[in-house]
Every structure is written in C-alpha cells, then in structure tokens.
Amino acid sequence: MSDITVHRSTFQSENRSWLRGPDGTVPGDNPSIALDVSAFTAVDHYPNGFIPSGTVLGKITASGQYGPYDPAATDGTETAAELLFSSVTVNPGSTVIGGAGLHKGEVIPSKLPFSTGTGSLDAAARTDLKLVNFSEGA
C-alpha cells in the first residue's frame, strides 16, 4: 500500500564559508564520527534542528562519541579533536547521529558558527587541532 500523506521537511543550506580551500575536504579526508546528541543543547547548538558545520568537537572518552568542545569539561571534550564537516539533522528522539569530522585543512575562525560557548574555537582548541591552519582572509 502506498503512503500519499503530505509531509513537510526542512532543509539546511550548507554554509562552509569557514573553509579557506579544499585541503582536507577530498573523499577519504573526513572520518566518519558519531555525535552524542545528549552532549549538545537544542537552544545553543541546534535551535533550527541542525548542528552546523564548523562546530568544534571533542571526543568523549567513555563512549568514543563526539560532543561540543568544552574547555571546562573533564570527559574528553576539553580537548578539541575535529570540526564538524557537514551540518547534521537532529531528529526528535535521536541519541546518536552520524557525521563527518575535519581534522586538517585551512579554516577562517571568524566564520565558524559559534564565537563563544561550547563548540567554539579558543586558543587551546587552536593548539589541539595541529593539522588545521587558522587564518583570516580569503
């Protein structure tokens, strides 16, 4: 039997203006990662239903999953490990969602989605992300 009910979907236009170039973006460069949805807050990280690309991530030691980088944490996310390469949808009830990480390349810090709070870039995260070149300019 066919389902012909009307459904509404929302889509996020990808904004990777934070990338300076293609380094680190070719197939095979971006490892698959699992995001622990409970580590993110809807109001701060995905008010429109999407965790945006460019979010700075840390790896949760106990689970091996990723959450927003938080320099005040003690669960592993106090060390920046990746930037989220593509925006991901957070569906109601999701506990773990798949994504892709960016751990090398060239990034324009002022264009990252978060300028303060968890998931944002600070001096320690810049040091942690050794293969990422952070510089302003196109």
Side-chain angles (χ1 to χ4, degrees):
M1 182 170 177
S2 298
D3 179 4
I4 61 170
T5 56
V6 176
H7 297 275
R8 179 183 170 128
S9 297
T10 304
F11 294 93
Q12 171 81 15
S13 293
E14 191 59 70
N15 179 1
R16 288 198 195 111
S17 62
W18 51 272
L19 283 171
R20 284 189 62 218
D23 184 29
T25 66
V26 297
D29 279 352
N30 308 108
S32 296
I33 59 174
L35 303 175
D36 179 347
V37 176
S38 68
F40 296 85
T41 57
V43 69
D44 293 328
H45 299 111
Y46 56 98
N48 62 354
F50 301 90
I51 300 172
S53 67
T55 301
V56 181
L57 303 172
K59 190 172 187 177
I60 301 167
T61 306
S63 66
Q65 298 169 352
Y66 290 78
Y69 164 70
D70 181 357
T74 59
D75 63 355
T77 59
E78 68 275 11
T79 302
E82 306 272 348
L83 282 92
L84 186 60
F85 181 64
S86 295
S87 299
V88 293
T89 304
V90 180
N91 293 313
S94 296
T95 57
V96 178
I97 51 178
L102 181 122
H103 59 272
K104 69 175 186 172
E106 299 196 25
V107 171
I108 303 169
S110 64
K111 294 190 176 184
L112 290 171
F114 302 108
S115 57
T116 60
T118 60
S120 66
L121 183 70
D122 64 8
R126 287 176 186 243
T127 301
D128 294 340
L129 296 165
K130 294 176 183 5
L131 300 177
V132 178
N133 179 26
F134 296 100
S135 63
E136 294 300 330

